[in-house]
């Protein structure tokens, strides 16, 4: 439907005449990490990061990225967790490519501190791009609404559009070619007892990034055709489970959704596999604990580590069953 736009045209349209005149010396912002309960895997437009399906996530409260940005005359200067990065660093080139979409002539000093554990396989690009957009909005005094901020964050990294909000967040896939209807909304729901933790299976670099992994899956996996229907079912079940605080319904739909996403990857040619032997050992331990009566479910993203879903009341039993658990839940 409609006409596709270039990323620069989307930005011009969203900014609607706002200027690049700083309103203050430095823009500052925080954005949370989000963990998808119903996953985003596959794009219908790679330039605009438009997804094939909607997705639904939970933001992790105070865990995320803190970003400060100030204009400079010289070259860009980028610090990550107090370490100055070189221009050759992939983090810097990705930031620069994104900032070029706004104004290629403007350079910045950027400080980002991420309290996402580096080895966690928790999507740090999502909180990073969301914090960057919020910091630009602060610097230039744009006062954009959350929908506009979500669209801008999506152009940096798809899942970043969900990190504009706390709580439960749905990224509505939209249908338009220009993606102006593809942004995140916060669900009118909360569930303070719901917890997320993670178990490290490996800190080794991933064999393939999620961007290339999802492209290969869409292009070559015979199972990908079934993915949109699976998402439609899981999304409905997860939204209902959140509304009713039905933990078993939530956990079972979220776990099945994550495993189905990985099944589409395994069927790609060549296969996209993030799993290691430790991943399988951990998943089997989760299933065994559940069989023995412990309410715990697993979810996984584009990496070998396993995230656990559980309720606050079961925390001590979960810690006893999984002593290696890192608790990251919003609390
Ligand atoms: C998600 N992931 O929903 C899914 C589950 C990984 C597995 O969003 O190319 O870094 O920047 O749009 O957002 C990771 O993909 O990809 C991701 P781009 P992104 O959380």
């Amino acid at each position: 439907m409609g006409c596709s736009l270039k990323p620069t045209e989307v930005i011009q349209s969203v900014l609607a005449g706002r200027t690049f005149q700083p309103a203050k010396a430095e823009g500052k912002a925080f954005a949370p990490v989000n963990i998808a309960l119903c996953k985003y895997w596959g794009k219908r437009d790679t330039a605009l990061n438009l997804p094939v399906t909607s997705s639904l996530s939970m933001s992790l409260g105070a865990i995320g990225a803190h970003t400060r940005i100030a204009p400079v005359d010289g070259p860009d200067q980028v610090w990550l967790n107090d370490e100055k990065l070189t221009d050759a660093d992939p983090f810097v080139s990705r930031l620069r490519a994104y900032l070029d979409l706004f104004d290629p002539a403007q350079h910045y000093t950027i400080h980002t501190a991420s309290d996402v554990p580096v080895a966690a396989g928790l999507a740090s690009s999502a909180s990073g791009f969301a914090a960057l957009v919020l910091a630009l909005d602060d610097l230039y005094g744009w006062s954009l609404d959350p929908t506009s901020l979500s669209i801008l964050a999506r152009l940096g990294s798809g899942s970043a559009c969900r990190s504009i909000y706390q709580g439960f967040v749905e990224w509505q896939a939209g249908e338009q070619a220009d993606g102006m209807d593809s942004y995140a909304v916060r669900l009118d729901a909360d569930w303070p007892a719901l917890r997320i933790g993670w178990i490290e299976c490996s800190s080794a670099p991933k064999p393939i990034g999620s961007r290339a992994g999802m492209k290969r899956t869409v292009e070559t996996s015979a199972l990908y055709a079934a993915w949109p229907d699976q998402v439609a079912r899981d999304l409905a079940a997860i939204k209902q489970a959140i509304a009713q605080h039905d933990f078993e319904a939530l956990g079972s739909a979220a776990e099945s959704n994550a495993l189905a996403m990985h099944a589409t990857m395994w069927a790609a040619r060549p296969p996209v596999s993030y799993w290691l032997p430790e991943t399988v050992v951990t998943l089997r331990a989760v299933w065994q604990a559940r069989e023995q009566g412990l309410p715990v479910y697993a979810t996984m993203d584009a990496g070998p580590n396993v995230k656990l879903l559980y309720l606050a009341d079961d925390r001590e039993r979960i810690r006893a069953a999984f002593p290696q658990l890192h608790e990251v839940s919003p609390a």
Side-chain angles (χ1 to χ4, degrees):
M1 264 204 288
C3 264
S4 188
L5 294 178
K6 294 192 188 120
T8 48
E9 294 168 331
V10 171
I11 289 174
Q12 280 165 17
S13 165
V14 167
L15 292 183
R18 288 172 177 81
T19 67
F20 290 88
Q21 195 64 42
K24 48 173 75 171
E26 179 182 80
K28 260 170 93 167
F30 166 80
V33 164
N34 75 75
I35 304 290
L37 301 171
C38 186
K39 308 293 183 184
Y40 151 51
W41 196 252
K43 305 183 196 198
R44 61 187 164 89
D45 183 314
T46 52
L48 299 178
N49 292 333
L50 297 180
V52 171
T53 70
S54 295
S55 55
L56 192 154
S57 61
M58 175 174 161
S59 285
L60 294 187
I63 297 173
H66 300 260
T67 295
R68 292 187 281 125
I69 184 163
V72 283
D73 288 335
D76 294 319
Q77 315 233 20
V78 181
W79 277 263
L80 177 60
N81 295 334
D82 293 328
E83 187 192 333
K84 182 148 192 290
L85 303 181
T86 65
D87 290 352
D89 193 287
F91 183 84
V92 176
S93 34
R94 200 160 163 204
L95 270 185
R96 188 61 245 170
Y98 181 67
L99 292 167
D100 279 349
L101 301 173
F102 289 80
D103 180 358
Q106 181 60 62
H107 294 274
Y108 297 97
T109 302
I110 300 173
H111 289 264
T112 292
S114 171
D115 32 37
V116 181
V118 174
L122 299 172
S124 54
S125 70
S127 53
F129 276 104
L132 180 62
V133 166
L134 291 165
L136 284 169
D137 186 71
D138 186 45
L139 173 67
Y140 292 117
W142 291 331
S143 301
L144 292 167
D145 58 80
T147 298
S148 300
L149 294 165
S150 182
I151 289 173
L152 293 182
R154 164 171 54 74
L155 298 173
S157 182
S159 52
C161 77
R162 300 187 308 233
S163 277
I164 295 295
Y165 298 97
Q166 292 285 2
F168 294 106
V169 181
E170 181 179 356
W171 175 8
Q172 300 174 338
E175 292 178 349
Q176 291 175 208
D178 63 9
M180 289 304 188
D181 58 352
S182 182
Y183 51 80
V185 295
R186 183 172 180 169
L187 300 187
D188 182 19
D190 71 348
W191 193 346
L194 186 63
R195 294 285 181 270
I196 289 187
W198 64 281
I199 292 180
E200 182 172 345
C201 294
S202 168
S203 57
K206 298 181 196 187
I208 179 170
S210 54
R211 192 160 281 195
M214 67 174 89
K215 183 167 188 290
R216 192 193 294 166
T217 307
V218 171
E219 288 172 356
T220 70
S221 171
L223 296 188
Y224 193 75
W227 176 244
D229 285 343
Q230 165 104 25
V231 169
R233 282 193 301 274
D234 294 339
L235 197 60
I238 289 169
K239 282 163 96 166
Q240 190 179 13
I242 290 171
Q244 298 176 345
H245 288 194
D246 182 339
F247 179 69
E248 316 244 297
L250 175 89
S252 114
E255 184 175 289
S256 167
N257 181 267
L259 294 175
M261 173 184 72
H262 283 276
T264 69
M265 299 183 200
W266 279 94
R269 294 187 182 187
V272 175
S273 172
Y274 294 105
W275 295 34
L276 293 172
E278 296 79 2
T279 309
V280 180
V281 168
T282 306
L283 285 174
R284 287 185 171 273
V286 170
W287 298 334
Q288 191 180 29
R290 207 156 68 222
E291 269 165 30
Q292 292 168 354
L294 190 60
V296 57
Y297 290 87
T299 185
M300 289 179 60
D301 293 297
N305 300 324
V306 177
K307 285 132 199 168
L308 300 190
L309 298 169
Y310 54 98
L311 291 173
D313 279 354
D314 296 317
R315 183 171 172 237
E316 292 314 319
R317 285 203 293 157
I318 295 281
R319 279 159 59 94
F322 301 95
Q324 71 280 46
L325 181 73
H326 300 266
E327 296 180 274
V328 290
S329 25

